[in-house]
Amino acid sequence: MCDHGFDPNNDDYDHRAALMIASIKGNADVVKLLLQYNADPNITDMYGSSALLEATKNGHDDIVNLLFEHEASLCMPDRININAADYNKRTASHIAAAEGNVAAIRILAERGADLSAADRWGNTVRDEAARCNSHRLIEFLDGKRELQT
């Protein structure tokens, strides 16, 4: 379609472009192709979501990496407190780690999340990664810790 003039940045009724839909669905081949046709990785839909945010929420690490290579951003307002916690002192990082979501932890870390913060029971992000037995996340966290020291 792009070879015949289709603009990859056209959107639907929710202002979602094809790149965002492919990112939601986890279709890395379509994401690669759309990026080759200069799809804008930073278009947001009517809800303020972006392709990178959707790929992260859905745990599509391969797509997150592709989007990072094309300078994608979350397109979220900077005023959000990345270390905000709930009544149990659990942050977005704790929740992402409990789900074993490496992509989310990577983005949270890059935005300045405190990965050493303890919740009300003393559990850190790494403790959550160990509890859910996410070896990939533990490897990432250990590598991240080495980079910080």
Side-chain angles (χ1 to χ4, degrees):
M1 288 175 51
C2 290
D3 284 338
H4 298 288
F6 174 77
D7 180 356
N9 295 315
N10 282 343
D11 56 12
D12 66 9
Y13 54 89
D14 283 330
H15 303 290
R16 288 191 177 128
L19 183 63
M20 185 179 294
I21 301 298
S23 297
I24 291 168
K25 300 289 186 183
N27 194 328
D29 291 336
V30 173
V31 169
K32 281 182 202 174
L33 188 60
L34 288 166
L35 290 169
Q36 287 173 2
Y37 280 98
N38 299 315
D40 183 350
N42 294 312
I43 291 176
T44 57
D45 66 10
M46 66 184 291
Y47 306 105
S49 191
S50 65
L52 181 58
L53 181 59
E54 292 298 336
T56 302
K57 287 187 336 189
N58 290 289
H60 302 306
D61 296 348
D62 53 342
I63 293 174
V64 169
N65 290 332
L66 281 170
L67 292 169
F68 272 139
E69 290 172 14
H70 286 83
E71 300 180 14
S73 79
L74 288 176
C75 301
M76 296 174 65
D78 289 332
R79 67 182 176 271
I80 293 173
N81 178 358
I82 200 81
N83 292 309
D86 66 10
Y87 56 90
N88 286 322
K89 299 170 86 176
R90 292 175 60 77
T91 64
S93 299
H94 284 98
I95 304 304
E99 296 292 324
N101 192 331
V102 178
I105 292 294
R106 177 181 173 189
I107 289 173
L108 288 164
E110 289 178 1
R111 300 280 294 194
D114 180 2
L115 302 181
S116 64
D119 64 15
R120 90 178 222 195
W121 299 282
N123 296 317
T124 64
V125 169
R126 192 175 194 294
D127 294 330
E128 291 295 338
R131 184 183 342 271
C132 76
N133 203 25
S134 177
H135 300 292
R136 286 182 46 230
L137 183 52
I138 291 170
E139 288 174 7
F140 173 79
L141 291 169
D142 288 348
K144 200 69 177 161
R145 188 167 294 118
E146 290 171 11
L147 292 173
Q148 291 175 348
T149 57

